Amino acid sequence: MTREEISTAPTASPRTKAVKTSRYRANSTTTTCAAPIQIPYTPRDPRDGLAPYIISPSAHPPSIVLKETPTSVFIRDAFPKALVHALLLPRDPEKTMLHPFEAFKDEGFLAQVRADAEELKGLVARELRRKICGRGTVAGGGGVNWGAEVRVGVHAGPSMNHLHVHVISREGFSDRVKKRVHYSALLPHPDPNSFNTAFFVPLDELPLRGDDPRWEHHERARLLKMDYTCWRCGRGFKNSFVGIKQHIAEEFVEWKKALLEAEGGGDRGAASSQFDASSSSV
């Protein structure tokens, strides 16, 4: 999120008292709501906007909260930067205020978050397939590994105070992508063998090595100012946001076409998924 998004983001309810238990659907199974917890946060600080969902997820509707467990909460990103964009919010009170690089030095904690992230990745992958193909079912599969189209990771310099993990489809096509930081913050360097690191750090790369330059604030700032490069074809656009924005829209059409062909075509009879708790986009 940018400063403008933070300042205009809807404020979540600050309630921390116990609320009536409810259940949400997840692949035909039910998940009991997690008990409220206590963590530091200031209700009037927009950068603390994720805290209420961590404290008492049951106080919020399924149009926002996709699933809750004792260890994490899955929510829709309020400002999605791709076709499907969700957040995983760990509920460990000792970790929630830490920078992700610090929090994930604890490999036991990292293992738990990875397990939760795999579940959310599955939900996002199924929703992506539904949005691309319009299939009559979201559970099956054709020739596409939909999980490979989903990225899981953290920002080297998070804009929100509480620990969170992005689970996002990889194309970066959204009307919410309006500024340099939006594109730079959520997409990888196209060449995995490049010495250039990315502001978006995949969960698989954590814990971060001690000599990784992204521990330094100035390196994180530099990464957000790097020239634009297409995530799919590697074409460079220097500092032209208009150029990369138009190109990403074109790549989205080709990416979607390739997925549809690999999947065997689409179908208008789209089944509902867990993301269908409301009509809002994810």
Side-chain angles (χ1 to χ4, degrees), residues 24-199:
Y24 300 128
R25 177 171 55 83
N27 303 329
S28 76
T29 63
T30 55
T31 304
T32 304
C33 292
I37 62 172
Q38 297 295 326
I39 58 173
Y41 98 105
T42 304
R44 294 184 180 181
D45 184 351
R47 292 182 181 274
D48 282 352
L50 298 177
Y53 304 112
I54 300 170
I55 292 170
S56 187
S58 303
H60 308 284
S63 59
I64 300 174
V65 176
L66 300 170
K67 183 174 180 179
E68 54 189 274
T69 75
T71 57
S72 65
V73 182
F74 304 164
I75 69 170
R76 303 167 185 263
D77 192 289
F79 299 91
K81 301 306 189 300
L83 197 59
V84 188
H85 188 177
L87 299 178
L88 184 155
L89 312 178
R91 302 190 78 226
D92 187 331
E94 296 182 0
K95 299 292 194 299
T96 187
M97 297 303 293
L98 296 180
H99 187 283
F101 294 171
E102 290 290 344
F104 293 129
K105 288 197 300 187
D106 182 335
E107 296 197 23
F109 174 66
L110 176 59
Q112 178 61 62
V113 171
R114 280 178 173 161
D116 290 342
E118 275 301 306
E119 181 177 358
L120 179 53
K121 182 179 179 180
L123 295 177
V124 169
R126 284 190 291 275
E127 175 64 1
L128 178 63
R129 178 175 182 263
R130 190 185 70 87
K131 285 192 170 185
I132 292 291
C133 296
R135 284 288 192 179
T137 174
V138 296
V144 176
N145 175 4
W146 292 95
E149 305 300 323
V150 178
R151 305 185 62 243
V152 180
V154 301
H155 283 168
S159 59
M160 303 298 281
N161 289 335
H162 293 80
L163 183 64
H164 58 284
V165 177
H166 294 269
V167 183
I168 180 172
S169 55
R170 67 177 182 166
E171 85 294 340
F173 182 69
S174 169
D175 59 4
R176 296 287 190 174
V177 178
K178 299 178 179 179
K179 296 184 177 182
R180 167 184 287 274
V181 65
H182 295 160
Y183 187 79
S184 302
L186 284 173
L187 293 176
H189 193 278
D191 180 2
N193 297 314
S194 171
F195 288 105
N196 291 316
T197 56
F199 190 84

Side-chain angles (χ1 to χ4, degrees), residues 129-130 132-136 259-261 263-270:
R129 178 175 182 263
R130 190 185 70 87
I132 292 291
C133 296
R135 284 288 192 179
L259 292 173
L260 282 169
E261 289 178 351
E263 192 73 359
D267 189 320
R268 292 185 179 181

Side-chain angles (χ1 to χ4, degrees), residues 196-213:
N196 291 316
T197 56
F199 190 84
F200 184 94
V201 185
L203 209 57
D204 289 344
E205 291 186 12
L206 300 172
L208 206 65
R209 299 189 319 272
D211 62 350
D212 193 294

